Amino acid sequence: MYVYNRRRHEFSRKMSEVAFSKIYVPVLGAISMERMDLDRGGPTDPDLRGTDVVLTLRSGRKVTVSERFRKADYAAYNDITLRYTSLATGRKLEVIGLNAQYMLYAVANSEETDFLRWDLLYATRLLEIAEMVERAEKYRKHNKNGSSSFLCIPRPMLVALGAVAASSESRPGFKHGYGSGGSSK
């Protein structure tokens, strides 16, 4: 079950704005961004919403993005996590509720002004891979507060299976690729 946390919500909103200028504009050619959680202080459940932002590109085309922002201490993890089930209800979460075209998975720097790393994933392909690995226990973990289980999909697998549309690792001049910095698990 999703537990609303105002600080986490504010962190996500702040990093979404950073993503607009640092990723969506240069990588996708975005010219505007509309948030799907219109109630600024509201506890909109991201697992039910499925899309966090709608971007309008220079071409006029609109694309949808689900966002997952992590604090700097997640830099050591070389995987992408999807909320799998609510442990309280057994209901499947993000693995069936993700309805965006892309998912942005990004780790913020400690100042929360930029990213240590990020991956823009094709959401449909990500869900196909999640379906492939969901039965394997080695990809499942529980969060610290015990409310949800997650699928932890290794980034090299996502790259090999064609889920990564763009990545900080492939951007010229980017200093921190996967495996650099951060604390250990």
Side-chain angles (χ1 to χ4, degrees):
M1 175 186 210
Y2 175 74
V3 178
Y4 177 70
N5 178 302
R6 181 172 295 283
R7 281 188 296 177
R8 182 173 49 210
H9 183 79
E10 289 169 359
F11 167 73
S12 291
R13 282 186 150 281
K14 176 182 177 182
M15 296 316 299
S16 186
E17 293 298 325
V18 174
F20 180 74
S21 65
K22 304 264 183 178
I23 301 168
Y24 301 147
V25 170
V27 174
L28 293 175
I31 58 170
S32 69
M33 177 174 73
E34 177 187 1
R35 296 212 46 88
M36 295 294 97
D37 59 343
L38 299 177
D39 178 7
R40 286 201 164 273
T44 305
D45 185 340
D47 297 321
L48 299 177
R49 190 173 58 247
T51 294
D52 293 302
V53 297
V54 176
L55 303 172
T56 301
L57 308 183
R58 278 185 226 115
S59 66
R61 183 175 156 230
K62 293 190 182 281
V63 296
T64 55
V65 182
S66 177
E67 299 174 321
R68 173 73 58 81
F69 299 111
R70 298 294 196 197
K71 299 275 187 173
D73 57 347
Y74 281 81
Y77 303 124
N78 196 21
D79 57 18
I80 304 297
T81 60
L82 292 173
R83 288 182 194 91
Y84 184 67
T85 57
S86 163
L87 297 177
T89 66
R91 181 179 69 114
K92 284 194 176 183
L93 300 171
E94 204 167 32
V95 294
I96 61 167
L98 181 63
N99 66 7
Q101 292 164 287
Y102 295 100
M103 176 183 229
L104 176 65
Y105 195 93
V107 178
N109 65 6
S110 57
E111 297 82 23
E112 298 175 5
T113 57
D114 205 345
F115 299 105
L116 295 174
R117 67 171 188 249
W118 56 265
D119 288 296
L120 188 63
L121 304 157
Y122 296 113
T124 302
R125 187 66 183 135
L126 175 61
L127 291 177
E128 289 169 353
I129 295 166
E131 191 175 300
M132 287 172 24
V133 303
E134 72 180 323
R135 287 181 182 81
E137 200 59 39
K138 70 179 183 176
Y139 298 112
R140 290 262 199 74
K141 295 203 170 56
H142 290 52
N143 63 352
K144 290 178 185 174
N145 70 9
S147 64
S148 304
S149 70
F150 287 81
L151 286 181
C152 301
I153 306 171
R155 186 187 174 278
M157 178 188 291
L158 294 168
V159 170
L161 295 174
V164 180
S167 173
S168 57
E169 195 170 69
S170 61
R171 304 281 300 163
F174 198 82
K175 296 180 214 157
H176 304 285
Y178 275 87
S180 67
S183 59
S184 62
K185 274 190 174 180

